[in-house]
Amino acid sequence: MKESNMDGLQTTATETEQQLEDMAKEMRLANDGLLEQDKGYFCDVRPHRVEPYKGIMESFANWARSQSLWILGFGTGCGAIELRPLMTSRFDMYRYGIQARPTPRQSCVFIIGGYASVKTLKRIVRSYEQMQGPKFVLGLGSCTVNGGMYWDSYNTINRIDQYIPVDVYIAGCMPRPEALLGGFIKLKQMIREGKCEGMNKYIDDFDWYKANQKQIIHDWNMPDYNW
Amino acid sequence: MNEIMTKAWYTLISLFVITNYGLLLGGTMARVRAKVQGRIGQPVWQPYIDILKNNFKRTGIYHGVMFYLGPVFRLAGGLGTYLFIPAVYGSLVFSNFSFSGDLLLVMYFIFFGQLGMALGAGQSGHPYSPLGVSRGLAQMTAFEVPFALSVIAIAAQYQTLSITEIVAAQQGGILNWVAFTNPLAMVAGMISFLGMSMGNPFSVVIAPQEIPIGPPTEMQSSFLGMLQTNRAIFNGAKLVLFMNLYFGGATNIWIMVIKTFLIYLYTVIVDASFPRFRTDQSIRFFLGTPALIGIAAVVLQML
Amino acid sequence: MVSPLYLIAMLLGAAFLHPLIQNRSKLAGQLVVLVVLGATVAIPLQWLMALDIATMQTVVFQTAGFTAPLSINLQVGVEESLFLVIINGGALFSALYFFRRRTREWEGSVQILLMTLVLGVNGLVLGRDLFNLFVFMEISSLSLYALVATTKTANSYEAGIKLMVAGGIASALFLIGVVFLYRMTGTLNLDDMIANKQLLDNKAGITALFLITASLLIELKPFPANGWGADVYQAADPGVSALTSGTSATAIFFVLYKITPLFGFELLQVVAASGGITFIFSQLLAYKQDSVRRMLGYSSIGQIGLLILVVALGSLYGEAFTTTMFGGIFLLVLLLGGNHLFSKAGLFWMSGITGQHSLGTMRQSKTVRLGPVGAALQGILTSALAGFPPFPAFWAKWIVITALLAFGSYWWASIILIGSLIEAAYLFKWFLNAVKSPVDPGTVHDEVIPEDFPEEPVKEPMAGASPAGIVARIARQSSGGWIAPFMATAVLVACGMLLATMFILRGRISGYRDMVLLLPLAVLVLWTVFDVIRVPFKLQIGLAIICSAGYGLVFLPGLDGIRLVFGLIFIAGSAVQMVPLLNRRGHHRGLAGMLLALVFSLGNLLFASSALEFFFSWELMTITSFFLVVRGRQASGAALRYLVFSLGGAFSILAGLFFGSSPLAALLLGIGFLVKMGTLGLHIWLPGAYAETDDDMSTFFSSVTSKAGLFMLFLLAGLFVQEAIPAGFAAGTRLESLLSGIAFTDLLGWLGVVTAFAGAFLALFKEDIKYTLAYSSMGQVGYMLLSFALMSQLGWMNSLYLAVTHLMFKGMLFVAISGVVYRTKTRLMYQMGGLITRMPITFFTVLIGIIAVSGVPPLTGFGAKWMLYTALIEKGWYLQAALAMFASGIAFLYLFRLIHVIFLGQLKDEHRTVTEAPIWMLIPQVVGIAGIMLYSMYPSLLLKPLEAAVAPFFETTISWDGYTVLSTLGYWNGTAVMYVTMGVFLVPLLWLLIVQRKNTQKVGQFNIVYAAERPYRPETTHFGYNFFAPYEKALGFLHKPLATRFWYRVVSVAEVAGSMVRKLYTGNIQTYALWIVIYTSILLSILQRGM
Amino acid sequence: MATERQERTIQEVKDSDPVCDAQTGLKFVHVEADQAVAYITRLRDVQGYTHLVFFTAIDYIEDSIFRLTYMVHNYASRQDLGVQVDIPRHGTTMESIHHLWPHAATYQRELKEMFGIDFPGSPGLDDSFILEGWTGIPPMRREFDTKLYSEQTYFPRPGRVTHDTTAYMKEKLYPSEAETW
């Protein structure tokens, strides 16, 4: 009697362990694109959704976020040339709490500066994933919307929102700095309203985004999520 | 027990004041810099918002224990440096823990935060981090030379290493300041202060165009928030130290505010007007004229 | 008493009968030789027992009822007996060397020649009649020519002929001299002549004596008329060379010794000059030699030259030598001669056994690697020859130098010291060449980049695990050849021990404390026994640790003040740092004993009550530490440098000990101590020695041994406060006013701070971690020197404080690093990286270590900085203070690099499986951390005892207020600093833990923002190589190796001198003969000028 | 020393004077593929054309050839010279000139990726230049339908219209000024 009881307990224990292991496995990413010997270099934890705070706390946080927009200084396309004037005394983006940061780790706004080739997209995905949430994406120029004048190129992607979530598009080829500022103000407004949950969207639809990315990035030599 | 509680309150007040002052000073100086460049510039309270935002970040990453502790070391270094300096002469509240040690303690405690931060940056595994640290440390050894000479000249002048006594000796009129009684020491010290505040032309650590941001490349979220907080406090501490050393200290909080503001203004103006040195140029610079001025100051005391 | 005639008769009879026996049985023939030679040793021993040693009793034997010169006139005295014991002992060992060697050298004729040679030399020693002496000289010379020729190579025949020609000239001169003397004194008996010495006190008499002297000198191969001698040594079989150098030359020297009472002042001077010149130039020549045997030959010639010099000087300055123990000059002759005979013969045999002919240059030598037994033998023989304690030459050297300096004969003293230094250099060069590992390039000037160390070939396991096995193995190897050097070594060791006991105890055994100075020797013997009976290494080290602890418990409580501080450093520090050695596997012969002996000799510095005792311990420390350095895998170059510098320093100390408290004494002693400390200019041995030693032993050198110099500085501090420039120097000029008032301490202060700066600066650019630490130690010692030189209470406190804390943190660092090197198998920092995850405890140790070294509060290092700057400013040394601050900033640079490049950054693939350092390596680290944390928390625990220690020397300038220490300038409360630091550290940490309590992901090593790329290899992502490139660009000109270059130039001057002298030797018989004639003429003309 | 073959080539080229493009003033010579490298070597070493300005290809699918153009420059005479070489479109292999100008390797790498022209021996030829992990036919060959590829691959946004720029601007943006155009 006693023994069987013990056995039962043990079975339960192993089963639980098994389950836990399975769960842990689900939380891991396959990282199939990496060479076997390279897998150890990268973190393979699956990103998970982070819920916003509740109520006024989140509003306050969102206000702070909207007042302190740090741009990732990565000129992904020719539109990046229109970012420079923002720093000048004529446009003075600092007034709005906007600053450029040289590293994705510290930035919260990623500006896709125009057309993105496949090669660039790989870097865009990598940098986007390296940013810490909440993070926002500004699509700058027509190319990010529908490919713009390069829409039929063998190498230019047409819709950036198929690969990473975009919060605000600024149309034009090229949009002027004023339009960019307009986009920023729109973004701020949206952040304050709590509408910019792009990061959680990316995680919710993670597999879809990944499938899209992998469809065109053939030599996927990075982990599935670049922590 | 009562004494300890009182001291704790005083400490909190002192820290609260210096933190807010440091943050506002940073915001104000950004405005000043903007004015130099013909802009309006960010709001004065922008540093507060940045820190808030960074602490409100939902996710974060870390590379290991030292990475995690790096910002803690840094902030501890900033807090400690401030706490070992008597901020306001004769004030109980702002005397902090200056009874723990003299000027030498402060000079060496500055390294505490830098070392910790360097270790944290090092563990990130990013090559730019140690590159920045290497540049920063290399430059630091260089600007420490005129500073050390200057401090030695002051210590020789007043035969004391206690900051309180150095301040006390400078009381009684503007001409009693070290800046006037020992101008060479002041010049050497203030040049090395430029290096210490890491602005142009000595911004080799951050060097945005070469090694984007250097040591804190991997720092984000609340780690970064902590570094920003430290920046305010540490800046305040350094300003107070230099005020005490060269400009007669402060007998009340308002004088402290005015004096430190002016000292900081001086570094900002230099910062806004110069391009950057290369690291080796910077080292040679500090070991050149400023060091000679410092030696002259010391030799004058020996004669 | 056995009549000496039996000795002669026995030898003669055996020589005649030998062919008969040989024909019956070869073995029997050999045994007969051994038995007869054994008897030649036994008979003088019997005489010694019968004679009254205290009065140097002599007994004269006349033979066949006739008086000399018609019969043989023999005198047996204590001197003769002792000499015969050693000479015949050497011959006996030679016979053992030849024994059962199935080569043609050991044929019947050789055995007979050996016996006739012994017969000749016995006659030379015993004979008191000049003509008899001539006869015996001829007998021994003839035997020798034949022996040399028995090697049966073209070279040896030629050498034999050269020897014969030279011998012929010498005999002719001798005979002419004898004729003259007989004409003038009417006797041939030496004693009669000495009694009628005044008869010879004219030009003719002196000339006659000169002829005899010249003949003897030529036989002893004086410089420069000695090319033939060197050829003999090179061409003959090593066994024969051993006989030539030991037996024959020593006997002829004894003849010279016997007739010195006849010499007048002029002649003695000529003899002394000849000996001195021979000594120094032979050493220079030997230094340049490629051939081992020729090198040993020149060394022999030089040693005989030294003997001649000593005898001549002894007669010249007789009164100075009489103060020594007993027998006066004879003791010296005996010690030097015996020491040389056995050690040189032993080395010749070793060269024969290993078959090593050519040294090559050290770089490209055909290495003959000795096994452990061979290495031990050669090491002991070399040490004995170089005059290290406890071997006889050490005591002789001491007596000679003492007497010479007491007499004021500085030139001769310095010639002897410099010659000895050169001799030690080339002898140890050979030793290192013979024992170094195959991967050793021989010259280690600096770190090796970027090749990794090649794998060391796996050593064959040693067979035989019992003493019997070892003996059997020795016997098996080269059929008995090993026995000879083994016996020689045994004799030397036994004599050394005996002499040490005699000299050190000097008959006063009042308690166990007097024995303490002999402990290192006892330890060496005991642990050698352990090695022989194969006690496991771990047990040996364990016993060593227990013994150190016991030593500390027994002896240290008797000390107080500064001695106690250093006692704790030397003994307790060493005991803790021995623990990592427990990690070693396998057998490490001689390691534990050497180490313990080193520790004890360091400890004994504390107890030395006389100059001799101190110097004995000092030299013992030098030689034991040298043998520890040698064990490093690529250490031979470094070890040689270490030895030469240490020995040079020791000689400087030896000289300095006799100048009382004059500035010269301060200078000489100071140089000696500073060499040990490795201050700038004298430091070039330091990095190599610290770095190339086995990783787990470097810590001894860095954290313990370097303090010995500091300790001695403290002991003799009074010397250094005097003015450095003697009064009257450059009197009346402006220079005088500039230079006056500069005390040695001022110079030491500058030297200390410059050393601190240079150490830090040089450490900055090293990729090899051990070189970094080595230079770091150098810098730290510089701070200690600077603090010492302050000559104030705070300064001294700080010096001691640094000594104690440096022991802890540098010991920790070295042990931690040795653990890292042990695990990662590399010493180059940039090849490591990211080890924090693999070795967290070691990382923590290094972290604490570097915080402590750099002087960042709240750890102990800051206390040192605080005291240093306070003391410097109090003293008014402002510029030094500034330079010290600069140095401490630079120290911060290399320390950060150390911890970053090893532990942070990118983990390399090959280190993925690295584990934490072994437990034995962690124990000292934990002890160090505990010590540092304790003293950081409560600095008063350390400061107050130190204050008490220096209290007898200075007025106190500091006061205490609770935990706060107040100086005249400032104050410091270490405890409060610690609390505040903990507070300001914990508050942000808690904040971070709260804010980051969730959603903070630990990521992998390649999860970095890499300009939107990804890293591919850790090697290319890790920033570690040439870490401070901008610094090098800005200030790199400062680390040009100026000091190193200077010392290289010194060496090359010696080498050039050697090769210039070498040109005298053409290898041609006629030239050599001409040289002999010219030599004689020159001596004669000098003599005439003297008259 | 020029080989006999090179001499012959030079002679042939001299006989056929370089064609001068009337519009640009550039001179072009047409060389057979097997003689091209020898000729260019001669240009570089003897005639002072020391600088390779660019190296490109044009796909003449109608003639079934690629026309390679080596543009070289003579600093002394400030003269550009285009060397044109026609090679067949299929199984295309061309002799490498990276030994003449190291930077030619980069041009050749690009040509390999974009046109599929092989240059045996050229260093790093198969490393990706722009297209990472491209597996289809080289995109600059004219048989590659880039519009179709884009539509199939890049999620074209529905509702996109393409206008003729001039007409559209006249009509929509600046109708009042349309007359002045």
Side-chain angles (χ1 to χ4, degrees), chain C residues 868-997:
Chain C
L868 177 66
Y869 297 128
T870 307
L872 279 169
I873 293 172
E874 272 178 357
K875 176 102 174 175
W877 286 9
Y878 302 137
L879 293 177
Q880 287 95 322
L883 190 53
M885 276 196 194
F886 190 21
S888 90
I890 292 175
F892 199 69
L893 296 191
Y894 71 74
L895 290 169
F896 173 71
R897 178 190 187 174
L898 183 82
I899 195 162
H900 168 78
V901 180
I902 296 175
F903 292 102
L904 305 176
Q906 298 282 340
L907 183 65
K908 305 290 164 59
D909 287 354
E910 59 269 29
H911 299 151
R912 247 160 228 299
T913 51
V914 161
T915 51
E916 183 56 84
I919 179 78
W920 297 117
M921 292 193 173
L922 293 179
I923 289 174
Q925 299 180 26
V926 172
V927 172
I929 291 176
I932 285 186
M933 290 319 261
L934 179 70
Y935 289 143
S936 303
M937 197 79 192
Y938 302 105
S940 50
L941 286 183
L942 183 54
L943 286 177
K944 286 191 171 161
L946 293 183
E947 193 188 355
V950 301
F953 305 97
F954 299 103
E955 290 286 312
T956 183
T957 57
I958 61 168
S959 53
W960 289 88
D961 177 14
Y963 285 119
T964 311
V965 52
L966 295 113
S967 72
T968 54
L969 290 175
Y971 50 89
W972 170 49
N973 183 341
T975 314
V977 172
M978 194 63 158
Y979 283 130
V980 171
T981 311
M982 274 159 42
V984 293
F985 189 80
L986 285 177
V987 170
L989 181 60
L990 286 175
W991 165 253
L992 201 55
L993 287 173
I994 292 166
V995 173
Q996 298 256 0
R997 69 188 178 281

Side-chain angles (χ1 to χ4, degrees), chain C residues 220-247:
Chain C
L220 293 173
K221 313 172 193 72
F223 176 84
N226 56 6
W228 48 276
D231 286 350
V232 169
Y233 285 122
Q234 190 175 5
D237 182 86
V240 177
S241 296
L243 279 171
T244 319
S245 143
T247 316

Side-chain angles (χ1 to χ4, degrees), chain B residues 100 108 125-126 141 161 218 222, chain C residues 888 906 969 973 996 1009 1031:
Chain B
S100 307
Y108 272 89
H126 198 290
T141 58
L161 279 166
E218 284 285 307
S222 33
Chain C
S888 90
Q906 298 282 340
L969 290 175
N973 183 341
Q996 298 256 0
V1009 293
Y1031 224 78

Side-chain angles (χ1 to χ4, degrees), chain C residues 320-490:
Chain C
F321 287 84
T322 50
T323 54
T324 55
M325 297 207 39
F326 87 109
I329 183 111
F330 174 72
L331 181 70
L332 282 181
V333 170
L334 183 71
L335 291 181
L336 277 176
N339 185 72
H340 170 242
L341 189 150
F342 285 112
S343 57
K344 186 56 59 64
L347 286 175
F348 268 119
W349 294 323
M350 290 300 292
S351 87
I353 291 165
T354 57
Q356 194 181 15
H357 287 280
S358 168
L359 268 175
T361 49
M362 289 285 275
R363 215 175 294 243
Q364 49 181 20
S365 71
K366 287 169 278 172
T367 312
V368 184
R369 205 171 172 206
L370 292 169
V373 177
L377 290 183
Q378 185 153 358
I380 293 173
L381 291 169
T382 312
S383 309
L385 192 53
F388 275 103
F391 300 106
F394 169 77
W395 309 104
K397 188 167 73 185
W398 171 264
I399 297 168
V400 170
I401 300 295
T402 318
L404 284 178
L405 291 178
F407 199 80
S409 180
Y410 304 138
W411 280 109
W412 287 123
S414 45
I415 280 180
I416 291 176
L417 288 180
I418 291 170
S420 308
L421 188 59
I422 300 173
E423 182 170 30
Y426 65 74
L427 284 174
F428 279 100
K429 192 160 84 177
W430 177 40
F431 168 71
L432 289 165
N433 202 29
V435 299
K436 74 182 187 187
S437 90
V439 296
D440 193 339
T443 50
V444 179
H445 301 149
D446 217 331
E447 53 191 3
V448 187
I449 291 176
E451 297 132 345
D452 297 358
F453 298 126
E455 282 297 309
E456 197 175 6
V458 182
K459 274 184 254 166
E460 283 177 35
M462 295 293 284
S466 65
I470 287 173
V471 171
R473 198 169 56 246
I474 292 169
R476 219 180 307 124
Q477 279 171 335
S478 133
S479 55
W482 282 93
I483 296 174
F486 190 77
M487 295 299 287
T489 311

